[in-house]
């Protein structure tokens, strides 16, 4: 396939619009702006161009795998007579996203630096919207209309995303990018401001991601304290901060969350805290809040192995939903696709100076595989394009003006 593009590298503004809508673009009726706007940006760059574009083979294969999984699910649906249109469209969208990015990367429309920088800015903008929406109800109402998240809570917001957990994970990735210095932020003051922005936005989203963020910050502080660059007088308050944050996470966030979620009966949790935790879960039905109530599988072995074709609406757990969609076979194949994306992304990081980037990718994938026990993060409309943008960004030209 050949598409004409005007120049090897596009402007920063075009790249920002491309990445922002790919990750956060809303769906208005049948119009999915997360695909329409990036496609329009790409095509507009090509109409007056004389430079032929190519399609990236690796991303094309990833897209092929996604469409193969979609085909498998449709076959299962035809056998079980259970048709889950939304679930099928989710995979179709993921496949189209692969094809769009395959064209953008293969044709060198954007540079690696532009993709990473634009993605980071997009995450920062959403975190800013989360903070303002949480503090000002009219903004929260407006964001709710855009995102489709109708669960408006006091001091809670999801920005342009439809769920609190998803918003928390996206903000957490922004925090990780800041800590890993991806993209490079030369000013310590700017890095501190950005870390504060993401941490505050996480506070307004999900308790789980807030606990994870506290752990990450604690480790970051401990690392600084153990660094030879830090004097002994500076190490003492850093270690004290590490201990304080750790105790806060344990007693104020983690233990109450475990007590309410698993109904342990070991710890005292106030009624206000219990109601606050109940309001932060993803399921609408608060009588089915316990995590243990959400771990269940189809009734017979055939459906467990091959799936039913449709997701289970009474569980938030991503692995449970996927077992219902396409069985253990589909779950294993989904994990294979994500491992393939990670291995390709890791392969493109060849310089030792980019070890932070490689570490960032690893942590993101560990989070996705782990948090899928709580919610659904495979091939979702926000996380999947973000994973592709970061994973394949290093395959592009390093920066503007270089070939």
């Amino acid at each position: 396939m050949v598409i004409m593009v005007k120049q090897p590298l596009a402007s920063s503004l075009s790249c920002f619009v491309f990445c922002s809508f790919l990750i956060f673009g809303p769906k208005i009726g049948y119009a999915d702006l997360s695909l329409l706007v990036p496609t329009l940006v790409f095509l507009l760059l090509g109409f007056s161009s004389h430079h032929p574009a190519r399609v990236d083979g690796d991303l094309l294969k990833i897209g092929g795998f996604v469409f193969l999984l979609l085909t498998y699910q449709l076959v299962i649906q035809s056998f079980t007579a259970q048709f889950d249109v939304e679930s099928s469209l989710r995979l179709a969208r993921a496949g189209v996203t692969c094809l769009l990015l395959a064209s953008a990367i293969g044709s060198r429309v954007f540079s690696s630096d532009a993709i990473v920088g634009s993605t980071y800015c997009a995450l920062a903008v959403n975190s800013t919207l989360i903070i303002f929406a949480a503090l000002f109800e009219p903004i929260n109402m407006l964001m709710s209309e855009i995102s489709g998240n109708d669960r408006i809570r006091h001091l809670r917001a999801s920005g342009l995303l439809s769920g609190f957990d998803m918003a928390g994970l996206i903000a957490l990735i922004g925090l990780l990018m800041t800590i890993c210095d991806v993209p490079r932020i030369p000013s310590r003051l700017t890095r501190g401001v950005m870390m504060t922005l993401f941490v505050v936005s996480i506070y307004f989203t999900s308790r789980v991601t807030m606990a994870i963020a506290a752990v990450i910050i604690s480790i970051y502080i401990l690392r600084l304290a153990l660094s030879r660059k830090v004097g002994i007088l500076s190490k003492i308050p850093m270690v004290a901060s590490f201990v304080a944050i750790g105790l806060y996470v344990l007693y104020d966030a983690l233990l109450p969350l475990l007590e309410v979620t698993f109904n342990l009966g070991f710890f005292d949790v106030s009624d206000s805290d219990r109601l606050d935790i109940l309001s932060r879960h993803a399921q609408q039905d608060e009588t089915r809040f316990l995590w243990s109530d959400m771990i269940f599988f189809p009734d017979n072995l055939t459906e467990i192995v091959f799936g039913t074709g449709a997701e289970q609406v009474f569980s938030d757990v991503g692995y449970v939903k996927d077992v219902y969609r396409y069985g253990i076979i589909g779950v294993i194949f989904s994990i294979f696709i994500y491992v393939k994306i990670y291995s390709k992304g890791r392969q493109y990081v060849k310089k030792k100076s980019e070890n932070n980037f490689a570490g960032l990718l690893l942590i993101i994938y560990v989070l996705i595989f782990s948090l899928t026990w709580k919610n659904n993060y495979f091939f979702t409309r926000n996380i999947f394009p973000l994973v592709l943008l970061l994973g394949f960004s290093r395959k592009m030209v390093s920066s503007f003006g270089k070939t």
Side-chain angles (χ1 to χ4, degrees), residues 374-391:
K374 183 182 185 296
N375 211 332
N376 184 25
Y377 295 106
F378 284 168
F379 307 112
T380 53
R381 61 184 291 112
N382 311 113
I383 296 295
F384 188 65
L386 175 57
V387 164
L388 292 179
L389 285 169
L390 292 178

Side-chain angles (χ1 to χ4, degrees), residues 50-295:
H50 59 274
H51 189 278
R54 297 176 177 84
V55 177
D56 180 74
D58 290 333
L59 253 176
L60 199 61
K61 291 178 183 177
I62 298 297
F65 289 144
V66 175
F67 281 118
L68 182 61
L69 182 61
L70 171 61
T71 303
Y72 172 79
Q73 183 181 7
L74 293 176
V75 171
I76 296 299
Q77 288 179 357
S78 66
F79 277 104
T80 61
Q82 296 188 47
F83 299 100
D84 187 347
V85 177
E86 184 177 349
S87 177
S88 301
L89 289 177
R90 182 175 62 92
L91 284 178
R93 181 194 175 281
V96 173
T97 300
C98 290
L99 299 182
L100 176 60
L101 280 176
S103 300
I105 292 175
S107 61
R108 301 170 68 185
V109 172
F110 305 114
S111 72
S112 174
D113 292 346
I115 284 289
V116 174
S118 296
T119 300
Y120 183 74
C121 289
L123 302 190
V125 168
N126 189 64
S127 287
T128 304
L129 291 175
I130 289 174
I131 295 173
F132 277 97
L135 296 177
F136 303 101
E137 187 174 350
I139 299 179
N140 205 354
M141 298 287 290
L142 175 62
M143 291 293 100
S144 175
E145 291 294 327
I146 296 174
S147 66
N149 184 5
D150 56 358
R151 291 179 297 142
I152 300 176
R153 303 283 191 271
H154 177 63
L155 294 180
R156 296 286 308 286
S158 60
L160 295 170
L161 302 172
S162 60
F164 300 120
D165 288 332
M166 189 70 68
L169 179 56
I170 292 283
L172 188 62
I173 292 175
L175 175 64
L176 288 169
M177 291 179 71
T178 307
I179 292 176
C180 294
D181 206 18
V182 178
R184 181 160 180 75
I185 304 175
S187 170
R188 291 184 180 181
L189 177 60
T190 303
R191 186 182 297 112
V193 170
M194 296 307 297
M195 287 180 64
T196 303
L197 172 70
F198 287 117
V199 169
V200 173
S201 67
I202 290 171
Y203 175 79
F204 293 128
T205 56
S206 164
R207 268 183 177 260
V208 173
T209 47
M210 184 170 62
I212 295 174
V215 172
I216 291 173
I217 292 294
S218 299
I219 295 174
Y220 177 71
I221 293 174
L222 184 61
R223 246 183 104 184
L224 286 178
L226 297 177
S227 173
R228 294 181 179 179
K229 298 179 181 179
V230 178
I232 186 64
L233 294 179
S234 299
K235 291 179 184 292
I236 296 176
M238 285 185 175
V239 172
S241 299
F242 170 77
V243 174
I245 293 176
L247 292 175
Y248 167 78
V249 172
L250 181 63
Y251 288 101
D252 190 72
L254 186 58
L255 292 183
L257 181 64
L258 292 175
E259 170 61 38
V260 177
T261 303
F262 296 101
N263 197 24
L264 299 176
F266 295 155
F267 312 104
D268 292 329
V269 180
S270 66
D271 292 339
S272 60
D273 286 343
R274 187 177 295 273
L275 289 174
D276 181 58
I277 294 173
L278 287 173
S279 71
R280 291 171 181 262
H281 68 280
Q283 266 290 355
Q284 296 287 352
D285 184 5
E286 295 187 3
T287 63
R288 300 183 61 90
F289 171 72
L290 296 182
W291 185 74
S292 56
D293 291 341
M294 298 185 187
I295 302 295

Side-chain angles (χ1 to χ4, degrees), residues 336-348 365:
F336 163 76
I337 293 174
Y338 269 76
V339 170
K340 192 75 173 176
I341 296 172
Y342 168 74
S343 63
K344 285 296 180 182
R346 184 64 182 85
Q347 176 184 333
Y348 304 141
Y365 279 88

